[in-house]
Amino acid sequence: EAGVAQSPRYKIIEKRQSVAFWCNPISGHATLYWYQQILGQGPKLLIQFQNNGVVDDSQLPKDRFSAERLKGVDSTLKIQPAKLEDSAVYLCASSFHRAGGSETQYFGPGTRLLVL
Amino acid sequence: KQEVTQIPAALSVPEGENLVLNCSFTDSAIYNLQWFRQDPGKGLTSLLLIQSSQREQTSGRLNASLDKSSGRSTLYIAASQPGDSATYLCAVPTSGTYKYIFGTGTRLKVLA
C-alpha cells in the first residue's frame, strides 16, 4: 500500500513570494490533514478535510494561507505572500474514515520550506 | 484549552536500557491518545493509540499507559536499541473533538 505522498520535499523562496504544496493521501482515506511543524515544536493542525469539505480551519492564517481538496482526493496548500515565520515543515496526513476517532493518522514525509 | 507537555525534552541512554517517556495533558476529557515517532527529515509514524477506555497498549518492546484522571501517559521502551533513536511525540485531542494537539517531543538517542 502506497503511503501519503507530498511534493516538493524542499522549497526555498524569498519573503512575499508564493508557494504551493501538494499532497496525495492513501487511497480510500476520506480525511486529510495539513500540519505546520516549526523547528523544535510539535505539529500544529492548519486544516482538516473530510472528503472535499473543510472540517476545521480555525488555525489556518486565512489572510495568506489557502487549501483545497476539490475532488476529495489530493490536496494543495498555498501560501501567498510568504513571511519569514512561515519557515517550517508542512506535513500532510490522512486517515481512513471519520476525523481522527479511533483511527490512526498516516503522515507523509513533509515539505521543508525556508523563507529568506 | 488542551496543552500537552513532554518530559524530558531530550534523553541519551546506553543501548539495552529500559526507559520511560512522559506526556502530560491539561484536559482529561479526551477520546484517545497517540504516541508517534519522528525520524530526522521524515514524517511521523504512529506507534500506539490508546482509547480513553483503555489503560495501556503494547506493541513489541513498546508499552504505553494512560491515566486520564491525572492527565498523564507514559511510553515505556524496553531494551533500547540504537535504531530507537528518534523524536517521540504524544498527541491528544482537544476536548470533545478529534483535533490533535501535539507535545514538543522527546529527542531520544540510544548509544551503541
Side-chain angles (χ1 to χ4, degrees):
Chain A
E1 178 183 79
V4 176
Q6 290 188 248
S7 67
R9 292 296 312 277
Y10 306 92
K11 192 73 177 179
I12 301 174
I13 62 173
E14 295 187 350
K15 60 183 179 183
R16 291 188 289 275
Q17 285 187 324
S18 62
V19 64
F21 312 128
W22 174 82
C23 172
N24 193 334
I26 292 174
S27 178
H29 280 196
T31 308
L32 184 147
Y33 315 78
W34 282 103
Y35 289 89
Q36 179 193 58
Q37 186 176 24
I38 293 173
L39 186 65
Q41 299 181 18
K44 180 183 81 172
L45 180 69
L46 292 176
I47 189 168
Q48 178 179 317
F49 292 94
Q50 182 76 10
N51 297 308
N52 60 350
V54 175
V55 174
D56 188 321
D57 64 357
S58 57
Q59 297 193 98
L60 186 73
K62 298 181 186 63
D63 58 334
R64 298 184 301 106
F65 286 64
S66 65
E68 59 184 14
R69 193 185 184 198
L70 293 176
K71 298 182 179 179
V73 181
D74 54 351
S75 175
T76 303
L77 176 69
K78 296 180 181 178
I79 307 175
Q80 182 180 12
K83 293 185 175 181
L84 297 178
E85 58 261 37
D86 298 332
S87 295
V89 177
Y90 291 85
L91 295 163
C92 179
S94 69
S95 61
F96 177 68
H97 202 203
R98 56 192 296 198
S102 61
E103 293 164 353
T104 298
Q105 294 184 30
Y106 295 86
F107 282 78
T111 295
R112 190 173 300 272
L113 174 67
L114 178 61
V115 182
L116 302 176
Chain B
K1 178 185 173 184
Q2 182 71 275
E3 294 182 3
V4 183
T5 304
Q6 290 188 246
I7 295 173
L11 185 61
S12 185
V13 300
E15 181 178 8
E17 272 203 8
N18 302 323
L19 54 100
V20 175
L21 308 181
N22 297 292
C23 172
S24 61
F25 47 94
T26 54
D27 186 346
S28 61
I30 61 172
Y31 292 127
N32 58 44
L33 180 146
Q34 286 198 59
W35 281 95
F36 291 86
R37 168 183 173 142
Q38 185 171 31
D39 293 284
K42 297 188 178 180
L44 282 67
T45 301
S46 180
L47 297 173
L48 291 163
L49 184 151
I50 311 175
Q51 299 295 343
S52 60
S53 58
Q54 297 174 317
R55 298 281 298 181
E56 64 179 70
Q57 278 279 12
T58 298
S59 176
R61 295 182 294 107
L62 305 179
N63 176 279
S65 66
L66 174 63
D67 184 343
K68 278 181 57 178
S69 60
S70 66
R72 295 185 181 187
S73 176
T74 61
L75 179 67
Y76 176 82
I77 302 177
S80 59
Q81 303 171 357
D84 295 330
S85 298
T87 296
Y88 292 81
L89 296 140
C90 70
V92 183
T94 53
S95 177
T97 78
Y98 295 107
K99 176 180 168 180
Y100 283 96
I101 305 297
F102 283 80
T104 53
T106 294
R107 294 186 308 280
L108 173 65
K109 187 169 186 178
V110 181
L111 305 171

